[in-house]
Amino acid sequence: MLDKKSLSRLLMSAAILTMGMSGAQAVETLRFSHTDNPGGSRQQAAELFAEKVAEYTDGRYEVQIFPSGSLANDPKAIELLQLGGIDFTVSATGSYATHMPTLNLTAMPFLVDTYEQGWELYDNSEWLQGEFAKLPEKGFRVLSTWEAGFRSFTTNEPLNSPEDAKSMKMRVFPNDMIRWSMEAIGFQTVVMPITDVYISIQQGIVNGQENPVDTIKSLRFYEVAPYITLTRHVYSPLPLTVAEKTWQSFSDEDKEAVMKAAADSAAFSRNLVKSSVESQLTEMQESGATVSVPDIAPFREAVQSVYAKAKDVYGEEAVDQILSDAAAIREKLPAQN
């Protein structure tokens, strides 16, 4: 039989063990919403991000992923970030411009020509980093930038030049710069969330849409709009963002861990998307899509008015700053012919 001292010691040990076990099980779940399909590059990068967050926080956090817009489309997900309804999302820079209008300027046409130039712009442009630094006031912050690639067209009729665009309706997301560019090329524009695009092309509401190859493949737009025209008119990466409420709830140690996971997932995303474009185009061609590279000069010429319009709306200083940063990057990292 145990004496009182031994019994007391045993009960204390059991209590400590129970506390330790309950502490180990106290995992906090973080919600990550995006609009890519389960097989897409965003989902793959999200899975890596979740894995790394768990690893770098010693299992204190579990990132639960909601793909395919199952929680929200892109604009709604950003609103949920602001309200603290979700913890993470990843979307085109232009999607965030509703809350920081100057970010529209990143969607000016033909700013950069290569992935490497785009990475330099998003990682090191003094102007863009300054704009990102203002986002916590809006309720979210950028952790890193994932890749989607360069925007091109998928249409249900051939698109060889801006002349062909005049008879087409083009879906755009709620972004002035993209809309201005599409209208300058000659399209009639129709604003709608990406989750409605496939059926809208199928039903003839629009003739097509413009997105990076990775998105075209993932969301199967080539099935209903089989003419893929590689204009590469806008570099369109995907800032990964966290709700500011969530960020402020992290310890300094956990902030560092989440930033490290964000950097790892960005490197993975960039490599995956850049290296997948050719195989994705081949696969879509094998499924019946027609891929073409048009003469880009008429498209470049058509959008010249967009730069002047941007200056009228956003001011010459901001436009000149990002154009200057982009020009310096193109000179520093020239495209290989």
Side-chain angles (χ1 to χ4, degrees), residues 75-306:
K76 184 58 70 176
I78 295 165
E79 288 177 20
L80 287 173
L81 270 190
Q82 294 176 299
L83 297 169
I86 61 171
D87 302 288
F88 303 103
T89 196
V90 62
S91 186
T93 317
S95 298
Y96 299 103
T98 304
H99 309 283
M100 175 69 74
T102 48
L103 291 179
N104 271 320
L105 297 178
T106 63
M108 282 193 292
F110 302 108
L111 278 181
V112 295
D113 303 315
T114 68
Y115 286 100
E116 290 76 14
Q117 291 172 5
W119 300 339
E120 183 74 13
L121 180 72
Y122 270 74
D123 292 347
N124 295 312
S125 160
E126 187 176 336
W127 176 83
L128 187 51
Q129 290 304 311
E131 298 307 290
F132 281 168
K134 299 172 188 174
L135 289 176
E137 299 167 15
K138 306 294 182 180
F140 54 90
R141 67 173 59 217
V142 173
L143 295 174
S144 66
T145 304
W146 291 5
E147 190 56 84
F150 288 83
R151 302 181 81 88
S152 288
F153 294 104
T154 44
T155 51
N156 57 10
E157 300 171 19
L159 175 65
N160 299 311
S161 71
E163 191 63 32
D164 294 330
K166 292 176 183 176
S167 63
M168 296 189 196
K169 290 183 179 177
M170 177 61 52
R171 174 267 174 178
V172 294
F173 68 100
N175 178 274
D176 284 345
M177 196 66 62
I178 294 289
R179 182 171 56 79
W180 295 343
S181 294
M182 296 304 100
E183 290 170 353
I185 289 169
F187 295 106
Q188 297 174 61
T189 57
V190 179
V191 177
M192 68 174 66
I194 199 166
T195 44
D196 296 345
V197 173
Y198 188 102
I199 195 166
S200 295
I201 298 173
Q202 199 170 39
Q203 294 176 345
I205 296 168
V206 293
N207 296 97
Q209 61 84 52
E210 47 84 54
N211 255 303
V213 168
D214 184 72
T215 305
I216 292 167
K217 172 70 169 56
S218 172
L219 299 183
R220 309 177 77 88
F221 291 140
Y222 63 92
E223 293 179 346
V224 288
Y227 294 95
I228 302 171
T229 307
L230 299 176
T231 48
R232 293 164 55 94
H233 49 273
V234 170
Y235 177 62
S236 186
L238 305 163
L240 168 66
T241 48
V242 60
E244 187 64 12
K245 288 180 182 177
T246 304
W247 181 256
Q248 293 304 336
S249 74
F250 292 150
S251 66
D252 288 346
E253 182 185 6
D254 287 341
K255 285 177 182 176
E256 189 177 333
V258 170
M259 286 297 292
K260 190 177 177 186
D264 287 354
S265 57
F268 170 83
S269 171
R270 286 174 170 181
N271 179 63
L272 175 64
V273 172
K274 183 188 175 189
S275 64
S276 298
V277 170
E278 292 306 319
S279 62
Q280 288 173 331
L281 289 171
T282 298
E283 194 174 329
M284 288 189 283
Q285 282 178 298
E286 288 171 351
S287 297
T290 299
V291 177
S292 63
V293 180
D295 179 3
I296 299 300
F299 289 93
R300 285 185 183 270
E301 182 66 28
V303 298
Q304 288 305 305
S305 61
V306 173

Side-chain angles (χ1 to χ4, degrees), residues 324-336:
S324 174
D325 283 356
I329 288 164
R330 290 196 307 273
E331 186 175 347
K332 175 183 172 183
L333 301 169
Q336 300 296 314

